[in-house]
Amino acid sequence: MSRTKSILALLALFFLAACSSSPSSGPSDAEQEDSADAGPQIFKRLSIEESGIDFRNDIVETKEYNYFAFQYTYNGAGVGVGDLDNDGLPDLYFSGNQVPDRIYRNEGHLKFKDISKTAGIDHQGGFNFGVTFVDINQDGWQDIYVCRSGHKGLTKEKANLLYINNHDLTFTESAQAYGLADQGYSIQSAFFDYDHDGDLDMYLTQHPVDYGQNLKERLDKMKAPEDDISDKMYRNNGDNTFTNVTDIAGVRNYGHGLGLVIWDINEDGWDDIYVGNDYQSADYVYINNQNGTFTDRMKEYFPHIPYYSMGVDVADIDNDGLLDMNVVEMLPENYHRMILNVSDLSEQNYYVFEEVGFHHQYTRNCMFRNNGGKTFSDVAYMAGVEATDWSWSSLFGDYDNDGKQDLFVSNGYLRDMQDKDYIKRSKYIRAAGGRMTKETFDTVTVSQKLRNYLYMNQGNLKFKNRAKSGGLEDVLFSSGAAHADLDNDGDLDLIVNNSNLQLSPDPAIVYENIVNSPKKSIRFDFEGPKGNRDGEGVRIIAQNGEEHFIQELRRTRGFISSMDKSLLIGIGERGRLEQVKVIWPDGAMQELGTIEGGKKIMCKYAEADKRFKKDEVISWAQVADLGIIFKHEDKVMTEFDIEAQLPFRMSMQGPQCAVADVDKNGEDDFFICGAKGQSDELYLQFNGKFTRVDGPWKPMSNEEHIVAEFADVDGDGDMDLYIGSGGTEDGKNNLLLLDKLFINEGKGFRYAENNLPRMLESTSVVTFGDMDGDGDLDAFVGSRSVPFAYGEAPHSFLLINEGGIFKSAAADLAPDILKLEMVSDAAWSDHDADGDLDLIIVGEWSSPVFMKNEGGKLSKGMNLPDLKGLWRTVVSADLNGDGRADFILGNVGSNIKFHASVKDPLLMYTGDMDGDKDRDIALAFKQGTYYHPDRSLTFLKAQFPSFDLKFPYYADFTGKSLEQIFGDALNTAKKHEVTELRSMILISTASGYDALPLPVQAQVSSINSILVKDLDGDGEEDFILAGNELYMPIQLGSLDAGAGLVLMNKGKGVLEPLSTRANGAFLPGWVKDMEFIQVQGVLYLIASRNDERPIFLKLNSSLSTIP
Amino acid sequence: MRYFLFLAPLFILSCSTPPSTDNVVAEPAPEEVIDVTQLTEELPDSGILKGVDPEQIMTDDWSDDGDIELEIEEQ
């Protein structure tokens, strides 16, 4: 070829260029500039002249090394830090992809000298990536392991390198002799003692080189991964040789490994492995089975993970004494770049991938908070760290020595290969023969340097990017990075490797930390046991009051880089660390007591005279099932195909559960709703054991039962049962939506078909109360949505009890109920302490509605217009002891893609948004400076086909206002607003209510259910909260970070979250409802979950001792 | 045993039996009511993998770049 084809391709491109916008040069507005980025400078860039570092990872595109032939061409290179000559100053190693690696000796005062020529490290051939420092032969001198990959034509040339330190700043390459000259496509290695035999073994991440795979090809390849692409485990034989034990260890795999970090994920005292995998491969969570083998238990520990995982790091982000983890991905923060570059996985493909065994994967960063070693909750949205563009290194460090772990993220990709407009243009290249000249490639691709991120930890699970003011204002193509105290002044300096394609190349950069706070940190060095002299895996823990500190020595962190072998713990203004302990990987422990700031401590294994024992106080213990064998089984419908941009699934609303002594034998019984196609179940308790019994609800299994409530509606002294039908499965106005009342006849239940009005709505709540004071129970029945018409107002009902028969009475007694919008929950209580029952109603896209009871009539009372939420639940309790009802309201929380405030509410438009006569939903919220649609343009083009013509190129879309996008439809559609996403408490005051957000721990997910009880016997009502919202649209991502939370009431409205360690009320999954139940005098909690078995917890008697 | 009495429901109503309209107050007019046996089969269900050809699904949305070759004039 085809010169003709090349010319054709060029002609096609010129044609395209002539009739459409050209490749974007990136953001032209100021959205990327964070106006809040202000504060003291932390880092100062050192020039080449100042530091002596002139290494450049220059990339030259060749036939073998270009994006199409080798997709790792632009992935960048690594950094290693360690004292190579034992002079007390950390030296630097830079890997080069195509250029030779370089070593720089630290000569003090941040001056470095290139010693590469004499060091003996000039082994060319492969495409070098990861660098790991390790004293592999335990001679007290740092050795260096370098991972190499390369194009498919290479074999021995890409064998990994092991540079053994000759003690004179020269090295002897010895990988073959040690059995570590792996010839696969290697990325990075980590050394750790996985088998507790006292020496350091090695885990190696590798990557496949197959691109453009369809699902079948991928699944086939995964069945038998070949040696050169599978990760490896090498066991240290103890004699300076290693044996490949990949298959024995159970880590043969087919993952595009990039990030690698070793840590004790499940807190069992044995090191586990986390591998962040690029492309579609799910990350690996290899849990150490303590017998030389590992099992990938990703789905057990992580409800979701990033799609394209890159760098990984671990640190305690909230000082709770548990290690958390951050995994970076590729989602751009800048709206323009996001629209052009975000990956657009379709909803269908997502579920296909899940069905064939992959995990829930979202295209964004994930910051995982540790739920006590049981599960991890992604809090990236609420932390504000979800989008850092095409990211590589994820590196935690306390860069301002304030005692809180900050986060550095490097980013940049030499060409934006996911740019939608490039992809569109590249189709013409394919059509013209699939050959592209270098000139054309330069023309059709965007190559934009980016600013790295410096997230300073603000506390309360919040981070603030201060890259610009913090001294990292450069725009670069950065990749590997490391930090270390290069000048021994008590703070972490930063070293970043940068790549270059063509003009204005950047060298690797040393950023000097200038916080100048030597008394605000404590340095720990280690003298480990034989076999692990540097103390890899050693852990420092400390506790100042309620505040915990924990750090582990792990060399391999971030992205293809390794850190120094000391730890620096920032303490800020605290002055000292208290209760300091050194815990070695084998459990040996040394107590160091209190250490003053500014000290340098040498920790010696030989002085560890105690054994570490985990100090656990658990208030709730999980029990198997109490004999209740029910598993809710809901179906995932493709309802988003019918209602594009539907924010939450309306088809998966159940199940609620209910507890009462229905057979009056003195023991609590249990009822739970079944999904459509599944019968409800009643369990009777007898002598502490539960037995399932049938009832008249059994033939009604074709209905989706959502709501269950026991109440004595006929006043005969036993508990009758109300079941509410809902969901969307049966469409609108379907008789299957009729609620059901079952009268307890003493010997069983009777379906009372005539005792309810015909309510053809999708019921979300029923709550009973004697509203009219006539001695029987009346009811409010609410509905959340109209099936397949989300945003329309369904009917809710006030039912007045007349001798056990309910009459709809809203029109006469509570006309405001007829005006309600989307109702999710309601509660009766005496709001105004006037002796009668008032009603509070909450719902979606609306404020709480207070219905005041005056003489048996309800009318809308107080208005709280600033509290328009996506409310899920409400309970009343007297929090401040004033005798009046206060309220806790469950919302979706702040750990969500949306932003909402009174000033800039979340918006939803429902109506015909594109003139095609169909009803649409369009969500929008303020992103950066402007309001933008919530979804990607690819998604919007599928929803609104006219957008294809309106915005032929993605760059044509990004600067458009909502008015320009939707035109007059914005005026004709129904507009809905949300101003508050957080779960709140409403504290009664003389003039109304003060609205206060619940603690940050309660904002990590939606709260669907709240139980109220004085758990510690102090006379104050405490609260247990649970929720989540799963199977959400993939462009929003599920709210799955909730794992249950106990809020202890300290009086006067102060609610304190019980620590993760002491909590024990572990309630993961999609909790819809909770009930207390007494079994043989012991208090249990049952949580019903959608599409899962319920959870059963037993209250530990030690709860009253928890502070 | 006492609790087994609950095994025998005293009254079971077929789902398809039209309920009483004595105290109807809900707004939908009778003609709007949809027959129980309708719709459910036409509504979307799970069965995600039905009709899906794994060979037609690319694992990464831009991963078909592999069929482009970059023309490089080697130095």
Side-chain angles (χ1 to χ4, degrees):
Chain A
M1 81 172 108
S2 202
R3 176 173 292 274
T4 311
K5 285 185 176 174
S6 281
I7 292 170
L8 278 173
L10 273 174
L11 284 173
L13 286 165
F14 288 142
F15 173 75
L16 280 169
C19 52
S20 66
S21 57
S22 58
S24 163
S25 58
S28 55
D29 57 35
E31 287 181 44
Q32 195 168 15
E33 302 300 329
D34 182 359
S35 59
D37 181 352
Q41 188 174 347
I42 295 163
F43 291 108
K44 175 192 162 201
R45 174 179 175 161
L46 300 183
S47 66
I48 293 176
E49 292 71 30
E50 288 171 304
S51 68
I53 304 292
D54 57 355
F55 174 79
R56 280 190 0 211
N57 186 42
D58 290 345
I59 300 295
V60 176
E61 287 168 319
T62 66
K63 193 172 180 182
E64 292 85 10
Y65 290 119
N66 66 75
Y67 180 81
F68 307 107
F70 181 66
Q71 285 199 0
Y72 284 63
T73 299
Y74 310 146
N75 283 16
V79 179
V81 183
D83 183 0
L84 294 169
D85 52 359
N86 285 345
D87 66 350
L89 293 167
D91 308 299
L92 302 179
Y93 187 104
F94 295 95
S95 68
N97 297 142
Q98 293 171 302
V99 301
D101 296 355
R102 302 260 285 269
I103 293 182
Y104 291 84
R105 178 174 180 266
N106 188 339
E107 299 193 312
H109 306 291
L110 297 170
K111 290 276 187 192
F112 294 84
K113 181 181 177 186
D114 185 352
I115 58 166
S116 311
K117 282 185 181 167
T118 55
I121 59 164
D122 54 342
H123 288 75
Q124 296 290 296
F127 203 85
N128 296 14
F129 283 123
V131 184
T132 310
F133 278 39
V134 59
D135 180 5
I136 203 162
N137 53 5
Q138 296 291 297
D139 64 354
W141 294 77
Q142 295 293 293
D143 310 303
I144 305 164
Y145 190 74
V146 179
C147 287
R148 300 202 290 184
S149 181
H151 63 79
K152 289 181 181 177
L154 300 181
T155 51
K156 289 180 182 172
E157 299 92 330
K158 63 180 178 0
N160 293 340
L161 303 166
L162 175 61
Y163 293 117
I164 297 296
N165 194 324
N166 298 327
H167 310 176
D168 57 0
L169 289 175
T170 71
F171 298 84
T172 302
E173 203 289 305
S174 309
Q176 191 73 40
Y178 278 72
L180 293 176
D182 194 291
Q183 294 181 17
Y185 299 94
S186 298
I187 290 288
Q188 178 61 319
S189 63
F191 291 84
F192 69 115
D193 184 9
Y194 82 92
D195 50 4
H196 279 201
D197 66 351
D199 55 28
L200 296 176
D201 313 292
M202 185 184 85
Y203 186 86
L204 179 66
T205 51
Q206 304 206 117
H207 68 90
V209 283
D210 306 301
Y211 316 116
Q213 289 180 329
N214 64 47
L215 182 58
K216 182 175 184 308
E217 290 167 335
R218 171 66 60 90
L219 293 172
D220 287 345
K221 296 261 185 189
M222 288 170 62
K223 287 175 188 165
E226 294 165 358
D227 259 349
D228 57 351
I229 57 102
S230 170
D231 288 2
K232 305 268 177 61
M233 178 68 81
Y234 284 92
R235 191 183 63 219
N236 191 332
N237 300 320
D239 57 358
N240 289 342
T241 67
F242 287 75
T243 300
N244 181 348
V245 293
T246 301
D247 290 316
I248 296 169
V251 297
R252 182 169 292 274
N253 56 34
Y254 186 90
H256 296 77
L258 286 180
L260 171 63
V261 66
I262 306 295
W263 58 302
D264 183 2
I265 292 171
N266 59 353
E267 297 266 316
D268 67 349
W270 290 69
D271 283 346
D272 309 301
I273 306 164
Y274 192 99
V275 181
N277 283 320
D278 196 1
Y279 297 91
Q280 204 230 334
S281 318
D283 298 353
Y284 299 127
V285 174
Y286 284 122
I287 298 296
N288 194 327
N289 298 323
Q290 307 181 12
N291 61 1
T293 70
F294 292 81
T295 302
D296 180 12
R297 292 167 64 183
M298 161 62 65
K299 293 180 183 177
E300 247 174 271
Y301 285 89
F302 295 84
H304 68 250
I305 50 173
Y307 198 93
Y308 303 106
S309 292
M310 317 293 250
V312 186
D313 200 13
V314 170
D316 179 4
I317 59 170
D318 53 357
N319 293 74
D320 66 349
L322 297 167
L323 289 172
D324 312 298
M325 180 172 68
N326 193 64
V327 187
V328 290
E329 212 255 3
M330 300 163 59
L331 178 68
E333 178 188 19
N334 174 274
Y335 183 75
H336 173 92
R337 285 187 56 79
M338 186 277 287
I339 284 293
L340 269 84
N341 291 286
V342 70
S343 177
D344 276 314
L345 182 63
S346 75
E347 202 80 33
Q348 175 181 320
N349 285 3
Y350 177 85
Y351 283 104
V352 168
F353 293 152
E354 196 217 350
E355 194 98 359
V356 300
F358 292 103
H359 197 30
H360 298 286
Q361 292 172 240
Y362 302 133
T363 53
R364 62 172 195 254
N365 300 341
C366 290
M367 181 174 268
F368 293 109
R369 182 168 181 262
N370 191 332
N371 298 318
K374 295 188 181 81
T375 62
F376 292 81
S377 295
D378 173 21
V379 296
Y381 274 135
M382 72 188 297
V385 301
E386 77 278 7
T388 51
D389 217 299
W390 203 309
S391 305
W392 297 107
S393 183
S394 163
L395 199 55
F396 282 116
D398 184 358
Y399 297 119
D400 55 358
N401 277 340
D402 68 348
K404 297 191 288 285
Q405 289 287 315
D406 310 305
L407 175 67
F408 168 78
V409 178
S410 67
N411 61 11
Y413 201 61
L414 293 169
R415 296 184 189 270
D416 283 343
M417 300 306 296
Q418 284 209 72
D419 182 308
K420 301 292 191 302
D421 288 346
Y422 155 73
I423 290 172
K424 182 169 184 173
R425 290 180 172 91
S426 73
K427 285 179 181 166
Y428 292 91
I429 307 286
R430 284 193 203 98
R435 298 179 73 85
M436 176 145 34
T437 65
K438 179 74 162 45
E439 292 72 24
T440 307
F441 199 31
D442 288 341
T443 305
V444 295
T445 57
V446 172
S447 181
Q448 184 181 359
K449 293 180 179 179
L450 300 172
R451 181 174 297 134
N452 294 321
Y453 282 77
L454 178 63
Y455 284 115
M456 302 309 291
N457 191 332
Q458 309 294 297
N460 266 341
L461 298 175
K462 301 274 185 214
F463 287 77
K464 179 174 157 187
N465 182 22
R466 285 200 44 232
K468 197 172 179 187
S469 64
L472 303 184
E473 65 268 32
D474 305 306
V475 288
L476 305 158
F477 294 113
S478 298
S479 52
H483 59 221
D485 186 1
L486 296 174
D487 49 359
N488 289 333
D489 65 348
D491 52 37
L492 291 171
D493 308 297
L494 188 62
I495 310 103
V496 182
N497 201 344
N498 300 305
S499 298
N500 305 287
L501 196 54
Q502 5 192 327
L503 299 175
S504 59
D506 299 290
I509 298 172
V510 172
Y511 292 96
E512 178 188 5
N513 191 319
I514 56 171
V515 297
N516 191 24
S517 54
K519 295 287 185 190
K520 292 184 179 177
S521 68
I522 298 169
R523 175 178 169 138
F524 294 88
D525 289 279
F526 303 96
E527 201 173 290
K530 184 184 172 193
N532 183 13
R533 290 178 58 142
D534 292 341
E536 182 77 27
V538 67
R539 183 179 273 202
I540 299 287
I541 62 172
Q543 188 173 353
N544 287 23
E546 292 296 304
E547 198 176 24
H548 294 260
F549 296 82
I550 177 170
Q551 280 197 33
E552 276 189 0
L553 179 66
R554 301 289 182 187
R555 306 297 291 273
T556 298
R557 295 169 54 187
F559 175 63
I560 57 174
S561 299
S562 74
M563 312 299 131
D564 196 13
K565 58 173 185 170
S566 61
L567 291 177
L568 205 62
I569 299 184
I571 58 170
E573 304 297 333
R574 296 165 189 79
R576 62 194 61 79
L577 276 182
E578 298 165 9
Q579 301 181 56
V580 181
K581 298 183 178 77
V582 188
I583 302 162
W584 296 86
D586 65 357
M589 182 178 77
Q590 181 183 10
E591 292 180 340
L592 298 176
T594 296
I595 300 175
E596 299 296 320
K599 295 276 189 189
K600 294 180 180 178
I601 306 297
M602 174 58 78
C603 307
K604 297 180 180 177
Y605 178 82
E607 295 171 1
D609 53 356
K610 295 187 170 59
R611 299 292 302 171
F612 174 68
K613 188 170 176 298
K614 219 161 45 166
D615 182 22
E616 280 191 320
V617 182
I618 298 297
S619 53
W620 291 89
Q622 192 152 357
V623 296
D625 57 18
L626 289 173
I628 296 169
I629 55 174
F630 177 84
K631 178 182 182 295
H632 189 257
E633 291 181 348
D634 219 342
K635 287 180 179 171
V636 179
M637 293 170 58
T638 51
E639 64 199 289
F640 299 141
D641 288 351
I642 296 173
E643 286 191 285
Q645 296 201 51
L646 177 69
F648 310 105
R649 284 189 187 275
M650 294 294 108
S651 65
M652 304 178 80
Q653 295 304 305
Q656 285 190 12
C657 57
V659 169
D661 179 11
V662 299
D663 53 1
K664 298 180 77 174
N665 71 343
E667 294 182 279
D668 282 346
D669 308 305
F670 176 74
F671 181 88
I672 188 164
C673 292
K676 186 178 176 63
Q678 178 182 32
S679 178
D680 311 313
E681 293 190 356
L682 173 67
Y683 289 85
L684 298 182
Q685 185 183 176
F686 190 74
N687 289 337
K689 297 195 182 307
F690 287 84
T691 301
R692 187 175 59 190
V693 296
D694 288 336
W697 45 81
K698 193 171 182 184
M700 302 172 186
S701 62
N702 197 32
E703 301 168 10
E704 172 98 343
H705 286 170
I706 306 289
V707 171
E709 200 72 35
F710 284 119
D712 181 9
V713 301
D714 54 2
D716 65 352
D718 56 26
M719 299 302 274
D720 310 301
L721 175 64
Y722 186 104
I723 296 177
S725 300
T728 54
E729 286 88 338
D730 302 310
K732 197 168 152 181
N733 297 334
N734 194 319
L735 293 176
L736 294 177
L737 288 172
L738 289 172
D739 292 355
K740 303 289 187 306
L741 186 64
F742 300 93
I743 299 296
N744 190 336
E745 300 282 6
K747 296 180 179 178
F749 285 97
R750 171 179 61 83
Y751 173 40
E753 64 163 324
N754 297 324
N755 291 26
L756 290 180
R758 189 166 66 169
M759 299 176 287
L760 291 170
E761 298 291 344
S762 179
T763 300
S764 56
V765 55
V766 60
T767 179
F768 291 94
D770 182 9
M771 195 274 283
D772 52 8
D774 65 353
D776 57 24
L777 291 173
D778 311 302
F780 170 78
V781 178
S783 176
R784 181 173 168 190
S785 67
V786 176
F788 301 111
Y790 184 81
E792 281 185 17
H795 299 287
S796 292
F797 302 88
L798 177 67
L799 305 183
I800 294 297
N801 191 338
E802 294 181 1
I805 295 176
F806 287 94
K807 304 284 187 187
S808 181
D812 295 333
L813 301 179
D816 286 336
I817 283 181
L818 302 177
K819 300 175 195 164
L820 291 172
E821 294 277 336
M822 304 170 69
V823 170
S824 52
D825 199 13
W828 296 99
S829 59
D830 186 0
H831 304 176
D832 45 11
D834 66 351
D836 57 23
L837 286 178
D838 309 297
L839 184 65
I840 182 171
I841 302 163
V842 297
E844 294 190 10
W845 306 93
S846 58
S847 309
V849 176
F850 293 88
M851 304 289 282
K852 182 173 168 52
N853 189 341
E854 287 183 304
K857 290 194 172 185
L858 293 176
S859 58
K860 203 167 171 182
M862 185 183 316
N863 192 19
L864 298 173
D866 291 350
L867 289 184
K868 288 180 187 162
L870 293 163
W871 304 111
R872 296 311 199 238
T873 188
V874 60
V875 295
S876 65
D878 183 6
L879 290 168
N880 56 358
D882 67 352
R884 296 173 59 196
D886 310 304
F887 301 98
I888 302 187
L889 284 71
N891 205 344
V892 292
S894 52
N895 191 25
I896 190 168
K897 180 182 182 184
F898 302 137
H899 301 157
S901 66
V902 174
K903 182 169 170 280
D904 299 312
L906 166 67
L907 301 178
M908 179 175 77
Y909 295 91
T910 52
D912 178 6
M913 301 302 291
D914 60 348
D916 67 353
K917 314 287 188 204
D918 284 338
R919 185 178 184 281
D920 304 300
I921 299 172
L923 295 160
F925 64 99
K926 200 170 183 184
Q927 299 171 66
T929 313
Y930 305 105
Y931 266 88
H932 295 294
D934 160 59
R935 303 299 167 89
S936 72
L937 182 54
T938 306
F939 182 99
L940 294 174
K941 284 185 173 193
Q943 183 183 8
F944 307 119
S946 61
F947 281 21
D948 238 349
L949 282 176
K950 205 169 175 182
F951 309 108
Y953 279 81
Y954 282 61
D956 299 332
F957 175 80
T958 57
K960 300 290 187 294
S961 66
L962 288 183
E963 288 74 17
Q964 288 169 305
I965 294 167
F966 293 112
D968 285 343
L970 289 183
N971 301 319
T972 56
K974 185 176 177 183
K975 185 180 180 185
H976 313 253
E977 289 187 355
V978 163
T979 58
E980 184 59 78
L981 296 167
R982 296 170 298 180
S983 293
M984 307 286 287
I985 52 175
L986 300 180
I987 299 284
S988 62
T989 65
S991 57
Y993 291 94
D994 283 342
L996 303 167
L998 286 176
V1000 66
Q1001 293 86 345
Q1003 309 296 350
V1004 298
S1005 191
S1006 72
I1007 301 294
N1008 302 334
S1009 182
I1010 302 170
L1011 287 179
V1012 183
K1013 196 174 192 66
D1014 178 7
L1015 294 169
D1016 54 0
D1018 66 352
E1020 305 283 355
E1021 288 177 319
D1022 308 302
F1023 305 91
I1024 300 176
L1025 298 76
N1028 287 327
E1029 186 90 24
L1030 306 187
Y1031 297 103
M1032 283 175 63
I1034 57 169
Q1035 293 212 358
L1036 299 181
S1038 292
L1039 306 182
D1040 54 21
L1045 182 68
V1046 178
L1047 293 176
M1048 303 304 286
N1049 189 345
K1050 299 297 178 186
K1052 297 182 180 174
V1054 176
L1055 299 178
E1056 282 189 6
L1058 208 56
S1059 79
T1060 308
R1061 279 191 186 283
N1063 186 351
F1066 182 56
L1067 297 161
W1070 198 352
V1071 175
K1072 293 289 190 172
D1073 195 14
M1074 294 188 291
E1075 293 286 345
F1076 287 120
I1077 188 165
Q1078 290 280 346
V1079 180
Q1080 300 278 288
V1082 177
L1083 186 66
Y1084 286 75
L1085 182 161
I1086 304 182
S1088 61
R1089 299 189 294 175
N1090 184 282
D1091 206 33
E1092 289 264 17
R1093 287 176 45 71
I1095 295 173
F1096 305 88
L1097 299 177
K1098 179 183 177 184
L1099 182 62
N1100 190 321
S1101 58
S1102 69
L1103 185 68
S1104 60
T1105 65
I1106 293 169
Chain B
M1 294 166 72
R2 187 177 175 190
Y3 52 84
F4 279 120
L5 292 173
F6 278 79
L7 287 170
L10 300 175
F11 190 91
I12 297 174
L13 184 73
S14 162
C15 284
S16 58
T17 306
S20 162
T21 54
D22 287 350
N23 49 10
V24 170
V25 292
E27 277 65 14
E31 62 270 24
E32 291 175 321
V33 175
I34 297 166
D35 186 84
V36 177
T37 59
Q38 301 290 309
L39 265 182
T40 45
E41 288 184 5
E42 295 172 17
L43 283 171
D45 202 343
S46 61
I48 297 290
L49 289 178
K50 273 183 206 163
V52 168
D53 179 0
E55 292 190 28
Q56 297 301 315
I57 295 178
M58 298 306 289
T59 52
D60 298 294
D61 62 354
W62 83 107
S63 57
D64 53 350
D65 276 326
D67 57 7
I68 293 182
E69 192 174 324
L70 189 63
E71 281 191 344
I72 298 280
E73 288 185 21
E74 299 292 353
Q75 302 297 311

